Amino acid sequence: MEVYTFEKSYLERLKEAEAVLSWEGAVMPASQVRSEWKSYVELKIEPAGWQAIWKIPRVICEDLKLRYPTIVYGYVEQVIFDELKAVFVVTAVQDNDVHLPESNEVSLVELWPTVQQENTALNVDTTAECIDRLRFFYTHVWMPWDKDYDDDRDWVQQHLQARIQLVCDLSKNRLPRPLALHMRTLLTEAKYIQQRLDYLELDLSDAESDDEAVELSDNAAEPIKRQSKAGSANGSLNVSSLPVTDLMCLHLRMAIIRSEFEILENPEMRRAYSELQSNSLKRLRCSSGRSTQSEDLLVERNPISHVVTLPGKLQDQLELLKLAQTLIKPDSHVQLSNTLQDVLSICQSNDNILLSPGEHTIKFLEHLNDNGSLRGLSNPKAILTPSTDLSLLPVVCSSDEDSTLLVIDGDYTLSELVLDCRHVRRGILLRNGTLTMRGCRMLGDGSSSTQEGIVCMPGASAELKSCLIENFAVGVSMRPKSSAELGNVQFITCKTGLELLEKTTSVNLQGSKCSFENCALGILADGFVLGEQKTEKALVLNKFSELQRFNEDNLLGNCSFYNCKKNVRVFHESGQLLAQRSHQQLLEDELGGENKENIQMA
């Protein structure tokens, strides 16, 4: 099954948006923008009866404990033009473990009309193109805070062309890379916060309606004892107390993002911001002892080993330096540094970084590549011992608003570290090259149904030796044509340990020492050919060797399973809702806004 896709230039996108938002009034206030889109949609979209794929938003997947992205197939029963939504009836799911209401009210931009339609009389071509225009506008041009814009100002005149130009500049890498990645991060977070706000506000309104219904029906002599949402009659929290707190935090964060983005949206202010960053970087390099001449020759110098230490006792620092001495070549240049974030701001991509025990918080908006390395100064056995106090280990973590801890875009090595991913949606995004990990431990939050440890994009490869991956929704996700060699890797308490999203993925479980412990599902294999005699949509297997029979060339080695609810689950290629090309596009669309460009560091 294929979905409609459209390749258009940004100039075409601008002209399309201008055509929709042409208004006879003197100014086009923000409040009128949605009305114009409603009128356009009413003219272009079939009101009912067309088939589509619904890509379920992350916030709903998190609430329903589903994998992300999850797609389902169905048809539109009714388009709600005033709200730019549709009543979508689910008729098929790829995974029988996905349980959804049959009828759902969804946003039009979440729907992807399919090329094959039961009713060929419907004008689905026009419907699909209209939704594509609507999706582009509300994904890239319209900001969540625009609905609060002053009605006496012309939104179209002030924002439309500038926003589309900004999208074009971001796509074509015309902005300085740190600034571009920072803006993408802000945009991704703002969209997610808006989805979360909408979902929580809907939840609160439903709770208030339930309270009103209870009050109206409360005619007994003694009042009915209301229960908390968790169902406890003795619950100490009001039904809406936690959502209200969440709403306040989300609104506050949105206000911060808005104030920063409105500055960066202005091209002149972007230039000033980049100059300010550049000056700050120069001061940082000067403080680290680099001369102007050495900065000019920065790209030609040999790699430096940066030793990052947190404040500590003199004897402890001396012990760390002795350990570092055993790991650094005698003729290498060494730089002592205060914070990992400072080092990442000034180092070359092929430098080596050594971290002392303790928590190293980063907000890194670049790629790691070019044979560089990041290594902890610690006892390797302590890293892989779950009972060890994290404060005694070198830990890399991120602020809670980041979407990805590290982005790898070339050959890079991580050794003897703890990667604390509890405040991010994704631990490592491996876009290109080979990631080598030795003696590392990755920690997830243990509650999210969408959090991923490592995502290997097409063409990338990962080599993991003696690593521990625990408490993720998906430990390692392998996209089509990616590869991995795993030796003595433990997946612990993951919803899915290893995910193979297409039969072209290649995995070698070396030495038969890999294990999956207390996982809901050890290995998920999607899009495999199970043979003509197999009519089931999915099979549950007990051993990795049973999975190898369906893909002997790409699956090597062996592993063990301990106390997993299901060891291996494989989905038949014929049971997929989408053809490979369409499915791949939706997967790429999911990562499109985060750390997008594929360019080497200087």
Side-chain angles (χ1 to χ4, degrees), residues 6 32 54 86 130 160 166 180 198 202 270 276 300 304 394 423 425 539 548 597 602:
F6 299 89
Q32 185 63 28
W54 176 30
C130 176
L160 181 59
L166 174 60
D198 293 342
L202 180 64
R270 285 203 297 272
L276 183 63
E300 299 177 4
I304 285 178
H423 296 304
R425 300 189 207 118
L539 293 177
Q548 287 176 308
E597 61 266 70

PDB file of all heavy atoms in Angstrom, residues 6 32 54 86 130 160 166 180 198 202 270 276 300 304 394 423 425 539 548 597 602:
ATOM      1  N   PHE A   6       4.502  14.367  -1.994  1.00  0.00           N
ATOM      2  CA  PHE A   6       4.668  15.490  -2.921  1.00  0.00           C
ATOM      3  C   PHE A   6       6.037  16.130  -2.715  1.00  0.00           C
ATOM      4  O   PHE A   6       6.426  16.440  -1.595  1.00  0.00           O
ATOM      5  CB  PHE A   6       3.570  16.535  -2.696  1.00  0.00           C
ATOM      6  CG  PHE A   6       2.180  16.012  -2.920  1.00  0.00           C
ATOM      7  CD1 PHE A   6       1.459  15.432  -1.875  1.00  0.00           C
ATOM      8  CD2 PHE A   6       1.591  16.065  -4.170  1.00  0.00           C
ATOM      9  CE1 PHE A   6       0.181  14.934  -2.066  1.00  0.00           C
ATOM     10  CE2 PHE A   6       0.305  15.570  -4.381  1.00  0.00           C
ATOM     11  CZ  PHE A   6      -0.397  15.006  -3.329  1.00  0.00           C
ATOM     12  N   GLN A  32      -7.649  35.087  11.761  1.00  0.00           N
ATOM     13  CA  GLN A  32      -8.311  34.844  10.481  1.00  0.00           C
ATOM     14  C   GLN A  32      -7.623  33.732   9.683  1.00  0.00           C
ATOM     15  O   GLN A  32      -8.218  33.149   8.774  1.00  0.00           O
ATOM     16  CB  GLN A  32      -8.328  36.138   9.656  1.00  0.00           C
ATOM     17  CG  GLN A  32      -9.078  36.070   8.348  1.00  0.00           C
ATOM     18  CD  GLN A  32     -10.581  35.785   8.520  1.00  0.00           C
ATOM     19  OE1 GLN A  32     -11.142  36.138   9.560  1.00  0.00           O
ATOM     20  NE2 GLN A  32     -11.200  35.177   7.537  1.00  0.00           N
ATOM     21  N   TRP A  54      -3.181   6.564   9.444  1.00  0.00           N
ATOM     22  CA  TRP A  54      -3.083   7.510  10.562  1.00  0.00           C
ATOM     23  C   TRP A  54      -1.772   7.260  11.287  1.00  0.00           C
ATOM     24  O   TRP A  54      -1.533   6.179  11.813  1.00  0.00           O
ATOM     25  CB  TRP A  54      -4.269   7.330  11.511  1.00  0.00           C
ATOM     26  CG  TRP A  54      -4.219   8.198  12.745  1.00  0.00           C
ATOM     27  CD1 TRP A  54      -3.656   9.428  12.858  1.00  0.00           C
ATOM     28  CD2 TRP A  54      -4.743   7.880  14.047  1.00  0.00           C
ATOM     29  NE1 TRP A  54      -3.807   9.912  14.133  1.00  0.00           N
ATOM     30  CE2 TRP A  54      -4.467   8.986  14.888  1.00  0.00           C
ATOM     31  CE3 TRP A  54      -5.429   6.781  14.566  1.00  0.00           C
ATOM     32  CZ2 TRP A  54      -4.841   9.013  16.229  1.00  0.00           C
ATOM     33  CZ3 TRP A  54      -5.811   6.809  15.906  1.00  0.00           C
ATOM     34  CH2 TRP A  54      -5.517   7.913  16.718  1.00  0.00           C
ATOM     35  N   ALA A  86     -10.901  15.083  11.567  1.00  0.00           N
ATOM     36  CA  ALA A  86     -11.728  14.074  10.907  1.00  0.00           C
ATOM     37  C   ALA A  86     -12.060  12.972  11.892  1.00  0.00           C
ATOM     38  O   ALA A  86     -11.288  12.687  12.826  1.00  0.00           O
ATOM     39  CB  ALA A  86     -11.002  13.492   9.698  1.00  0.00           C
ATOM     40  N   CYS A 130      -4.215  18.744  -0.786  1.00  0.00           N
ATOM     41  CA  CYS A 130      -4.698  19.740   0.171  1.00  0.00           C
ATOM     42  C   CYS A 130      -4.149  19.451   1.569  1.00  0.00           C
ATOM     43  O   CYS A 130      -3.677  20.369   2.262  1.00  0.00           O
ATOM     44  CB  CYS A 130      -6.223  19.760   0.186  1.00  0.00           C
ATOM     45  SG  CYS A 130      -6.919  20.877   1.411  1.00  0.00           S
ATOM     46  N   LEU A 160       4.656  35.214   7.098  1.00  0.00           N
ATOM     47  CA  LEU A 160       4.545  34.121   6.130  1.00  0.00           C
ATOM     48  C   LEU A 160       5.823  33.932   5.321  1.00  0.00           C
ATOM     49  O   LEU A 160       6.433  32.855   5.318  1.00  0.00           O
ATOM     50  CB  LEU A 160       3.358  34.355   5.195  1.00  0.00           C
ATOM     51  CG  LEU A 160       3.129  33.248   4.148  1.00  0.00           C
ATOM     52  CD1 LEU A 160       2.892  31.907   4.829  1.00  0.00           C
ATOM     53  CD2 LEU A 160       1.974  33.600   3.233  1.00  0.00           C
ATOM     54  N   LEU A 166      12.917  30.907   6.304  1.00  0.00           N
ATOM     55  CA  LEU A 166      13.671  30.271   7.375  1.00  0.00           C
ATOM     56  C   LEU A 166      13.697  28.750   7.186  1.00  0.00           C
ATOM     57  O   LEU A 166      14.742  28.114   7.341  1.00  0.00           O
ATOM     58  CB  LEU A 166      13.049  30.621   8.726  1.00  0.00           C
ATOM     59  CG  LEU A 166      13.645  29.913   9.947  1.00  0.00           C
ATOM     60  CD1 LEU A 166      15.122  30.233  10.094  1.00  0.00           C
ATOM     61  CD2 LEU A 166      12.882  30.312  11.209  1.00  0.00           C
ATOM     62  N   ALA A 180      21.469  26.493  13.525  1.00  0.00           N
ATOM     63  CA  ALA A 180      20.423  25.732  12.839  1.00  0.00           C
ATOM     64  C   ALA A 180      19.911  24.594  13.717  1.00  0.00           C
ATOM     65  O   ALA A 180      18.701  24.377  13.844  1.00  0.00           O
ATOM     66  CB  ALA A 180      20.959  25.179  11.513  1.00  0.00           C
ATOM     67  N   ASP A 198      -2.525  20.337  24.336  1.00  0.00           N
ATOM     68  CA  ASP A 198      -3.853  20.009  23.796  1.00  0.00           C
ATOM     69  C   ASP A 198      -4.406  18.754  24.465  1.00  0.00           C
ATOM     70  O   ASP A 198      -5.593  18.685  24.809  1.00  0.00           O
ATOM     71  CB  ASP A 198      -3.783  19.812  22.280  1.00  0.00           C
ATOM     72  CG  ASP A 198      -3.467  21.104  21.537  1.00  0.00           C
ATOM     73  OD1 ASP A 198      -3.639  22.182  22.130  1.00  0.00           O
ATOM     74  OD2 ASP A 198      -3.036  21.025  20.370  1.00  0.00           O
ATOM     75  N   LEU A 202      -7.617  18.684  27.041  1.00  0.00           N
ATOM     76  CA  LEU A 202      -8.761  17.828  26.726  1.00  0.00           C
ATOM     77  C   LEU A 202      -9.069  16.897  27.889  1.00  0.00           C
ATOM     78  O   LEU A 202     -10.222  16.677  28.252  1.00  0.00           O
ATOM     79  CB  LEU A 202      -8.460  17.015  25.462  1.00  0.00           C
ATOM     80  CG  LEU A 202      -9.563  16.058  24.984  1.00  0.00           C
ATOM     81  CD1 LEU A 202     -10.800  16.850  24.589  1.00  0.00           C
ATOM     82  CD2 LEU A 202      -9.065  15.228  23.803  1.00  0.00           C
ATOM     83  N   ARG A 270      19.422  36.984  13.897  1.00  0.00           N
ATOM     84  CA  ARG A 270      20.154  35.713  13.751  1.00  0.00           C
ATOM     85  C   ARG A 270      21.632  35.977  13.505  1.00  0.00           C
ATOM     86  O   ARG A 270      22.495  35.301  14.060  1.00  0.00           O
ATOM     87  CB  ARG A 270      19.578  34.876  12.606  1.00  0.00           C
ATOM     88  CG  ARG A 270      18.270  34.207  12.912  1.00  0.00           C
ATOM     89  CD  ARG A 270      18.040  32.999  12.023  1.00  0.00           C
ATOM     90  NE  ARG A 270      17.940  33.332  10.608  1.00  0.00           N
ATOM     91  CZ  ARG A 270      16.829  33.656   9.988  1.00  0.00           C
ATOM     92  NH1 ARG A 270      15.692  33.734  10.678  1.00  0.00           N
ATOM     93  NH2 ARG A 270      16.812  33.912   8.697  1.00  0.00           N
ATOM     94  N   LEU A 276      27.614  36.805  18.259  1.00  0.00           N
ATOM     95  CA  LEU A 276      27.793  36.703  19.705  1.00  0.00           C
ATOM     96  C   LEU A 276      28.333  35.333  20.080  1.00  0.00           C
ATOM     97  O   LEU A 276      29.236  35.214  20.913  1.00  0.00           O
ATOM     98  CB  LEU A 276      26.451  36.952  20.398  1.00  0.00           C
ATOM     99  CG  LEU A 276      26.452  36.964  21.929  1.00  0.00           C
ATOM    100  CD1 LEU A 276      27.311  38.106  22.447  1.00  0.00           C
ATOM    101  CD2 LEU A 276      25.033  37.091  22.467  1.00  0.00           C
ATOM    102  N   GLU A 300      44.348  22.164  10.909  1.00  0.00           N
ATOM    103  CA  GLU A 300      45.539  21.441  10.483  1.00  0.00           C
ATOM    104  C   GLU A 300      46.296  20.820  11.654  1.00  0.00           C
ATOM    105  O   GLU A 300      47.229  20.071  11.443  1.00  0.00           O
ATOM    106  CB  GLU A 300      46.477  22.390   9.726  1.00  0.00           C
ATOM    107  CG  GLU A 300      45.839  22.984   8.474  1.00  0.00           C
ATOM    108  CD  GLU A 300      46.753  23.974   7.782  1.00  0.00           C
ATOM    109  OE1 GLU A 300      47.913  24.143   8.236  1.00  0.00           O
ATOM    110  OE2 GLU A 300      46.332  24.577   6.792  1.00  0.00           O
ATOM    111  N   ILE A 304      44.073  16.614  19.936  1.00  0.00           N
ATOM    112  CA  ILE A 304      44.425  16.912  21.317  1.00  0.00           C
ATOM    113  C   ILE A 304      43.623  15.993  22.227  1.00  0.00           C
ATOM    114  O   ILE A 304      42.479  15.642  21.934  1.00  0.00           O
ATOM    115  CB  ILE A 304      44.125  18.391  21.656  1.00  0.00           C
ATOM    116  CG1 ILE A 304      45.172  19.297  21.014  1.00  0.00           C
ATOM    117  CG2 ILE A 304      44.077  18.631  23.162  1.00  0.00           C
ATOM    118  CD1 ILE A 304      44.924  20.776  21.253  1.00  0.00           C
ATOM    119  N   PRO A 394      31.760   8.153  35.610  1.00  0.00           N
ATOM    120  CA  PRO A 394      31.630   9.244  34.615  1.00  0.00           C
ATOM    121  C   PRO A 394      30.283   9.143  33.898  1.00  0.00           C
ATOM    122  O   PRO A 394      30.027   8.183  33.166  1.00  0.00           O
ATOM    123  CB  PRO A 394      32.802   9.004  33.665  1.00  0.00           C
ATOM    124  CG  PRO A 394      33.168   7.571  33.841  1.00  0.00           C
ATOM    125  CD  PRO A 394      32.796   7.186  35.230  1.00  0.00           C
ATOM    126  N   HIS A 423      16.250  11.884  30.626  1.00  0.00           N
ATOM    127  CA  HIS A 423      15.565  13.147  30.337  1.00  0.00           C
ATOM    128  C   HIS A 423      15.508  13.460  28.841  1.00  0.00           C
ATOM    129  O   HIS A 423      15.243  14.600  28.463  1.00  0.00           O
ATOM    130  CB  HIS A 423      16.242  14.300  31.076  1.00  0.00           C
ATOM    131  CG  HIS A 423      16.158  14.191  32.562  1.00  0.00           C
ATOM    132  ND1 HIS A 423      14.965  14.066  33.233  1.00  0.00           N
ATOM    133  CD2 HIS A 423      17.124  14.159  33.517  1.00  0.00           C
ATOM    134  CE1 HIS A 423      15.194  13.981  34.537  1.00  0.00           C
ATOM    135  NE2 HIS A 423      16.489  14.023  34.728  1.00  0.00           N
ATOM    136  N   ARG A 425      14.357  11.884  24.724  1.00  0.00           N
ATOM    137  CA  ARG A 425      13.517  10.910  24.033  1.00  0.00           C
ATOM    138  C   ARG A 425      14.350   9.856  23.312  1.00  0.00           C
ATOM    139  O   ARG A 425      13.863   8.802  22.948  1.00  0.00           O
ATOM    140  CB  ARG A 425      12.602  11.625  23.026  1.00  0.00           C
ATOM    141  CG  ARG A 425      11.678  12.621  23.655  1.00  0.00           C
ATOM    142  CD  ARG A 425      10.655  13.113  22.644  1.00  0.00           C
ATOM    143  NE  ARG A 425      10.213  14.448  23.022  1.00  0.00           N
ATOM    144  CZ  ARG A 425      10.385  15.525  22.298  1.00  0.00           C
ATOM    145  NH1 ARG A 425      10.980  15.456  21.139  1.00  0.00           N
ATOM    146  NH2 ARG A 425       9.957  16.688  22.712  1.00  0.00           N
ATOM    147  N   LEU A 539       4.652 -14.108  13.959  1.00  0.00           N
ATOM    148  CA  LEU A 539       5.001 -15.340  14.667  1.00  0.00           C
ATOM    149  C   LEU A 539       5.753 -14.998  15.939  1.00  0.00           C
ATOM    150  O   LEU A 539       6.518 -14.023  15.986  1.00  0.00           O
ATOM    151  CB  LEU A 539       5.897 -16.229  13.790  1.00  0.00           C
ATOM    152  CG  LEU A 539       5.304 -16.842  12.522  1.00  0.00           C
ATOM    153  CD1 LEU A 539       6.384 -17.615  11.774  1.00  0.00           C
ATOM    154  CD2 LEU A 539       4.138 -17.764  12.866  1.00  0.00           C
ATOM    155  N   GLN A 548      16.776 -16.857  12.483  1.00  0.00           N
ATOM    156  CA  GLN A 548      17.822 -16.909  11.455  1.00  0.00           C
ATOM    157  C   GLN A 548      17.363 -17.665  10.213  1.00  0.00           C
ATOM    158  O   GLN A 548      17.813 -17.383   9.102  1.00  0.00           O
ATOM    159  CB  GLN A 548      19.082 -17.571  12.030  1.00  0.00           C
ATOM    160  CG  GLN A 548      19.850 -16.688  13.004  1.00  0.00           C
ATOM    161  CD  GLN A 548      21.028 -17.420  13.628  1.00  0.00           C
ATOM    162  OE1 GLN A 548      20.865 -18.514  14.174  1.00  0.00           O
ATOM    163  NE2 GLN A 548      22.200 -16.831  13.551  1.00  0.00           N
ATOM    164  N   GLU A 597      20.952  17.926   9.240  1.00  0.00           N
ATOM    165  CA  GLU A 597      21.947  17.933   8.179  1.00  0.00           C
ATOM    166  C   GLU A 597      22.998  16.853   8.346  1.00  0.00           C
ATOM    167  O   GLU A 597      23.249  16.357   9.421  1.00  0.00           O
ATOM    168  CB  GLU A 597      22.609  19.312   8.059  1.00  0.00           C
ATOM    169  CG  GLU A 597      23.366  19.810   9.264  1.00  0.00           C
ATOM    170  CD  GLU A 597      22.501  20.668  10.148  1.00  0.00           C
ATOM    171  OE1 GLU A 597      21.607  20.141  10.776  1.00  0.00           O
ATOM    172  OE2 GLU A 597      22.753  21.861  10.206  1.00  0.00           O
ATOM    173  N   ALA A 602      34.021  20.927  10.961  1.00  0.00           N
ATOM    174  CA  ALA A 602      35.285  21.510  10.490  1.00  0.00           C
ATOM    175  C   ALA A 602      36.431  21.047  11.362  1.00  0.00           C
ATOM    176  O   ALA A 602      36.248  20.702  12.511  1.00  0.00           O
ATOM    177  CB  ALA A 602      35.189  23.019  10.524  1.00  0.00           C
TER     178      ALA A 602
END
